[in-house]
Amino acid sequence: MRTPDKPAIIFGDETLSYGELAWRICRVASGVDAKSAQRVAVSLPNHPALLEIFFGATLAGAVFVLFEPKWPRETLAAVLQSHAPQLFFGD
């Protein structure tokens, strides 16, 4: 990495450098690998953590399934049933 200290993400008052972002992505990937998860469900508000989880899951070879908890119950059930995630990130 050529510029690990340069800002990669600025979100409100939070700034993540490329090095910090890479570290967080690798941490997520390790967790996904440790669980042998092939599908990861994510329900988080708009936040840099979405990028960490997306890239971490992708790095680990998992599928990233994003859903909105405000969806109708039937829609949520159908999405979760059809994708059968082994790991969940959310509030």
Side-chain angles (χ1 to χ4, degrees), residues 2-60:
R2 299 171 100 185
T3 56
D5 295 327
K6 288 201 173 197
I9 297 175
I10 300 171
F11 184 81
D13 294 339
E14 187 175 0
T15 300
L16 287 177
S17 69
Y18 283 102
E20 291 169 322
L21 182 59
W23 181 83
R24 290 180 182 197
I25 289 168
C26 288
R27 183 181 63 178
V28 170
S30 294
V32 171
D33 268 344
K35 301 273 188 198
S36 299
Q38 296 176 345
R39 288 171 301 283
V40 176
V42 182
S43 173
L44 291 171
N46 189 14
H47 190 272
L50 283 173
L51 290 174
E52 298 166 22
I53 297 166
F54 171 76
F55 287 117
T58 303
L59 182 64

Side-chain angles (χ1 to χ4, degrees), residues 67-81:
F67 69 93
E68 175 60 53
K70 295 177 184 174
W71 288 348
R73 184 175 295 265
E74 299 80 25
T75 303
L76 284 172
V79 168
L80 293 176
Q81 183 178 11

